[in-house]
Amino acid sequence: MLTVLPCAAALSVAPPVRAAGDDRAAAEALFAKGRDAAKRGDLDAACGAFEESERLQPAPGTMFNLGDCEEKRNHLAASWQWFEETLAKLPPADERRPLVQKRIAALEARLPTLSIKLSPGASAGAVVTRDSVELRAASLGVALPLDTGIHHIAVTAPGHDESKQDIVLAEGDRRELVVEPGPETKAVTPPLGAPVPKTEAVPPTPTPAPPPPAPPEHADTRMVGYVVAGIGVAGIGTALALGAVAIGKSNTVHDHCIKSANTCDSPSAVDAASSGSTIATASTVTFILGAAAVGVGAYFILTSGPSSETSLHATAGVGSASLRLTHVF
């Protein structure tokens, strides 16, 4: 380390004129921090400080120290790159060029290279990556410098499986590698003799039948029915009473009158014959009206709730009457 620092210091003397806006003071402070870290053997801190100093104010001396730091970390490719950039920055007559060229030559003897080519039969669209970095056509077939150690190579192509392989490079290795995509991607097929699963048709879901219509709502007419039926019962009672009177009159006529001669033997019999027919007719009419009222009342009572069919039939004749009420629940 002590033999390198004087060279680094010499390379940092008389730096070239920088563009306005360079942070010269910060770059100098970081450069000094990098040298102190290198003296302590803290290579990670030294390389970081040199790199930041070079970013703020590029200078051949800083690049040279970066190359020296990376070589000590065994990052041979990075070290070689920094030394190459240092040489490019120095004028042709600069007395420091021989030192830089010597370091580059020493590194090239140690620096491994790897040339990657695609197989001639590789499918179109194949992509080669090295350590997750895509290598395009210009990089393929070229001996590229790399650090020592393990490197991961992968090849992908449409319709093919990915192929992967690792390669380990040691100092001074000169390797060439021909790569190609993996085999064609094959569709998964069931083994011979295995039953092929059949997709069963799902039966359509039956449409539920619409619910039956609700029965019509009927008004509560029971009270009206009771009143009308009561009047009808009273009318039937009256009709029965008139009927009894008419029967009495008929008996009187039968006892005291001769129908064929149209004569009666007493005034009361004549009166009975005259009024008996009227009373009988009144009894019949009253009975019919009473029975009808009872039927109507029953109709109102029965139809006050849900029902499917209700019918009322009344018949009347001379001396007789009937009422029929039919209700189906």
Side-chain angles (χ1 to χ4, degrees), residues 127-154:
V127 176
V128 181
T129 59
R130 185 205 65 223
D131 301 325
S132 300
V133 177
E134 181 181 351
L135 300 180
R136 299 186 178 178
S139 297
L140 297 177
V142 179
L144 301 177
L146 295 174
D147 288 332
T148 58
I150 187 170
H151 297 273
H152 309 287
I153 316 299

Side-chain angles (χ1 to χ4, degrees), residues 273-310:
S274 176
S275 61
S277 177
T278 302
I279 294 173
T281 300
S283 173
T284 299
V285 172
T286 303
F287 180 83
I288 291 173
L289 293 176
V294 170
V296 172
Y299 179 83
F300 283 141
I301 294 170
L302 293 175
T303 57
S304 64
S307 64
S308 59
E309 183 179 357
T310 302

